[in-house]
């Protein structure tokens, strides 16, 4: 048999070259399973030929990853490497005045600044919103510099400039070190993962870009006023050894009550000593109102309230209801400590409080019970309130829900308007359920409520500020059934004695049953912050011709009734 002609062979080689140029064959040729056998020359030019017999064991074909997958992997490597770099070398030790401090940048979803003053606690500021948090740890005082300040008080005048200079130097060094840390961490991790210098350098560059973007976001959201509303937290170090774990609460409940009350005292003193609020300091003449709610038969609440009354020099306690659990007469003895709290007590009925409970409290000399819009002047404030229209422990009555609450609020708002027309405008309203409290919008500057077991503050459409308090009883003794104990919450309100308007408030948050943590955060109304325009006065004031004329009732504190 004769071989193919020269023309046929050339056509065959052209077709073979065209076939080799196909993308699928180019990808296949790149696989390591294809081997070229040496010494097997065939075809023009003596080129080697690859045959089926030269194929090794075939492996399944795996397509190259898509570009977005590679980019996502690079971003993950860069972020993780930057985080590891910050953890290892992203902190600086610097001198700030007479203090030795450590500054660190930490990844965090919400940002902010945390100043740790061990062992007293920490000061948290919502200084910025970015995925970076600044941690400042005050490690110790420099004995030599502290002694010099004590011996030479004149040096205090220049201490502010010195501290400012130290902070600038420390943060500058922290910024440089953080840049180096994220680049080094991301590059090292990229080299370990990809084993290619180019990819490793790309990871380092991306990490630097992420740090720059986070810094720009922090600068754009920087809030210099955050120092006006710090949140202070502290831990009484001796309490855990005295109380034990949560299982011993029942057997050592008296010890727990005493320690929790002492915790309030100590943390309050530390807060007063360490927090600096340049925009507002409570005036000694301010009316101080302690707002409590939802005690739910927790006897520890009375110790906490008594401690707060003493430490904050409270003028009046306002309880927005749910003091009881079932409202039975057998529970009335729980209310007896109110007589010894050291301040007038204003109370409205909650949905767990019965008429029997209300009648028992009405007989106490230092208690003012408000219902159906009744108003009284207590502690220098004109206060109106209404009880909850529903008593939910009574299963024989079908609960009417929110409509009944709103109707009670409408009656309260109507009574407040009647007070204004009579020349005795109300300064503060109280209702248990926020649905009822919202109906007073536009009739009173401030209304207090509870029921939700969580805090909520809002300025409503017509200017009334609604403040809902959490549970001062930590949800009551039933809270021990929960996986985590509910926190104990109360607030101290500072009202101007002349205008009766809210100036600031402190939110006190304590650990629940068996816990001994505490936080105290100060908050300012928008109109009371520096540079804010004075708010209009949409609420009626007492006419000079018809001033409020409180009468002194048989119970002792000044009070008056609805005309």
């Amino acid at each position: 048999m004769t071989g193919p002609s020269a023309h046929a062979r050339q056509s065959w080689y052209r077709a073979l070259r065209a076939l080799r140029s196909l993308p699928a064959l180019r990808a296949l040729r790149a696989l390591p399973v294809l081997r070229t056998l040496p010494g097997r020359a065939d075809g023009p030019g003596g080129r080697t030929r690859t045959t089926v017999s030269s194929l090794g064991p075939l492996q399944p074909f795996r397509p190259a990853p898509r570009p977005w997958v590679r980019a996502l992997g690079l971003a993950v490597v860069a972020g993780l490497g930057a985080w590891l770099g910050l953890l290892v070398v992203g902190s600086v030790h610097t001198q700030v005045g007479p203090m030795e401090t450590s500054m660190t940048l930490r990844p965090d979803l919400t940002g902010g600044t945390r100043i740790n003053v061990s062992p007293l606690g920490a000061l948290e500021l919502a200084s910025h919103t970015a995925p970076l948090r600044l941690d400042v740890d005050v490690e110790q005082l420099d004995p030599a510099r502290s002694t010099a300040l004590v011996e030479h008080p004149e040096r205090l005048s220049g201490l502010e400039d010195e501290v400012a200079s130290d902070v600038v130097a420390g943060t500058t060094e922290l910024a440089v070190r953080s840049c180096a840390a994220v680049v080094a961490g991301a590059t090292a991790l990229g080299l370990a993962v990809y084993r290619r210098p180019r990819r490793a350098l790309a990871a380092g560059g991306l990490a630097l870009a992420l740090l720059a973007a986070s810094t720009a976001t922090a600068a754009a959201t920087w809030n210099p006023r955050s120092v006006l509303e710090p949140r202070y937290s502290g831990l009484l170090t001796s309490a855990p050894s005295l109380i034990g774990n949560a299982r011993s609460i029942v057997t050592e409940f008296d010890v727990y009550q005493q320690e929790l009350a002492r915790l309030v005292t100590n943390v309050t003193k530390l807060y007063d000593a360490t927090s600096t609020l340049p925009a507002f300091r409570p005036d000694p003449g301010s009316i101080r109102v302690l707002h409590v709610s939802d005690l739910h038969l927790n006897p520890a609440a009375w110790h906490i309230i008594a401690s707060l009354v003493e430490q904050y020099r409270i003028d009046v306690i306002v309880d927005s209801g749910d003091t009881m659990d079932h409202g039975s007469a057998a529970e009335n003895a729980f209310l007896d400590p109110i007589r010894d709290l050291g301040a007038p007590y204003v109370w409205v009925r909650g949905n767990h409080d019965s008429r029997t409970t209300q009648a028992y409290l009405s007989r106490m000399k230092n208690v003012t019970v408000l219902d159906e819009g009744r108003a009284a002047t207590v502690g220098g404030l004109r206060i109106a309130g209404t009880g909850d229209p529903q008593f939910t422990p009574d299963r024989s009555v079908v609960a009417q829900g929110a409509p009944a609450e709103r109707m009670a609020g409408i009656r309260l708002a109507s009574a407040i308007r009647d007070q204004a027309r009579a020349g005795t405008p109300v300064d503060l309203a109280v209702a248990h359920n926020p649905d009822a409290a919202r109906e007073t919008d536009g009739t009173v500057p401030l209304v207090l409520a509870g029921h939700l077991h969580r805090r909520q503050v809002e300025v409503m459409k017509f200017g009334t500020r609604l403040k809902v308090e959490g549970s001062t009883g930590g949800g009551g003794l039933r809270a021990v059934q929960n996986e985590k104990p509910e926190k104990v919450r109360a607030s101290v309100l500072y009202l101007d004695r002349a205008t009766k308007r809210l100036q600031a408030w402190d939110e006190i948050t304590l650990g629940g049953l068996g816990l001994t943590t505490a936080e105290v955060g100060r908050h300012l109304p928008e109109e009371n912050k520096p540079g804010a325009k004075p708010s209009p006065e949409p609420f009626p004031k007492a006419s000079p011709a018809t001033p409020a004329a409180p009468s002194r009732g048989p119970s002792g504190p000044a009070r008056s009734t609805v005309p």
Side-chain angles (χ1 to χ4, degrees), residues 6 19 58 88 94 119 122 182 184 192 234 263-264 277 298 333 360 443 467 509 540:
L19 189 61
L58 291 177
V88 176
T94 184
V182 299
L263 172 66
V264 176
L277 301 173
N298 187 349
Y360 188 83
T443 66
K467 190 175 186 312
T509 305

Side-chain angles (χ1 to χ4, degrees), residues 87-111:
L87 287 180
V88 176
V89 293
S91 63
V92 297
H93 294 273
T94 184
Q95 187 90 18
V96 178
M99 299 178 294
E100 295 283 349
T101 67
S102 173
M103 297 183 180
T104 310
L105 283 180
R106 290 283 182 259
D108 188 272
L109 294 178
T110 58

Side-chain angles (χ1 to χ4, degrees), residues 414-464:
S414 177
I416 292 173
R417 294 188 187 96
D418 291 342
Q419 289 284 316
R421 285 191 290 268
T424 55
V426 171
D427 306 312
L428 176 66
V430 191
H432 176 66
N433 195 302
D435 289 339
R438 285 190 173 88
E439 297 300 326
T440 65
D441 188 16
T443 66
V444 68
L446 178 64
V447 58
L448 306 181
H451 184 64
L452 301 181
H453 288 212
R454 65 177 184 273
R455 286 196 178 106
Q456 181 177 321
V457 181
E458 64 174 292
V459 177
M460 295 184 287
K461 180 179 179 180
F462 298 108
T464 295

Side-chain angles (χ1 to χ4, degrees), residues 6-30:
H7 179 72
R9 286 199 302 270
Q10 290 178 359
S11 299
W12 170 258
Y13 289 139
R14 283 197 296 270
L16 188 60
R17 283 197 299 269
L19 189 61
R20 287 175 178 174
S21 66
L22 291 176
L25 273 185
R26 285 205 305 269
L28 187 61
R29 289 170 58 196

Side-chain angles (χ1 to χ4, degrees), residues 17 57 75 120 151 169 178 200 244 249 289 310 342 461 481 490 497 521 547:
R17 283 197 299 269
L120 303 183
E151 294 177 350
S178 298
I249 285 295
V289 177
E310 179 182 358
K461 180 179 179 180
Q481 301 172 357
R497 191 169 291 274

Side-chain angles (χ1 to χ4, degrees), residues 347-427:
W347 183 86
V348 298
R349 188 179 65 253
N351 62 293
H352 281 265
D353 304 317
S354 66
R355 298 280 180 174
T356 302
T357 303
Q358 180 166 313
Y360 188 83
L361 281 169
S362 299
R363 294 192 289 270
M364 292 188 182
K365 292 183 178 181
N366 65 321
V367 176
T368 300
V369 174
L370 301 179
D371 196 10
E372 297 296 336
R374 175 177 177 250
T377 302
V378 184
L381 290 173
R382 186 75 172 166
I383 307 173
T386 189
D388 197 296
Q390 305 178 93
F391 179 51
T392 53
D394 185 1
R395 303 301 181 185
S396 64
V397 178
V398 178
Q400 299 177 0
E405 302 292 346
R406 288 194 290 269
M407 185 57 65
I410 291 172
R411 292 194 296 269
L412 174 60
S414 177
I416 292 173
R417 294 188 187 96
D418 291 342
Q419 289 284 316
R421 285 191 290 268
T424 55
V426 171
D427 306 312

Side-chain angles (χ1 to χ4, degrees), residues 229 465 494 502-505 523-530 532:
E229 299 186 16
R465 186 184 304 274
Y494 303 92
L502 183 66
Q503 295 179 309
W505 70 91
H523 301 268
L524 304 177
E526 289 296 326
E527 63 271 15
N528 205 28
K529 293 183 178 179

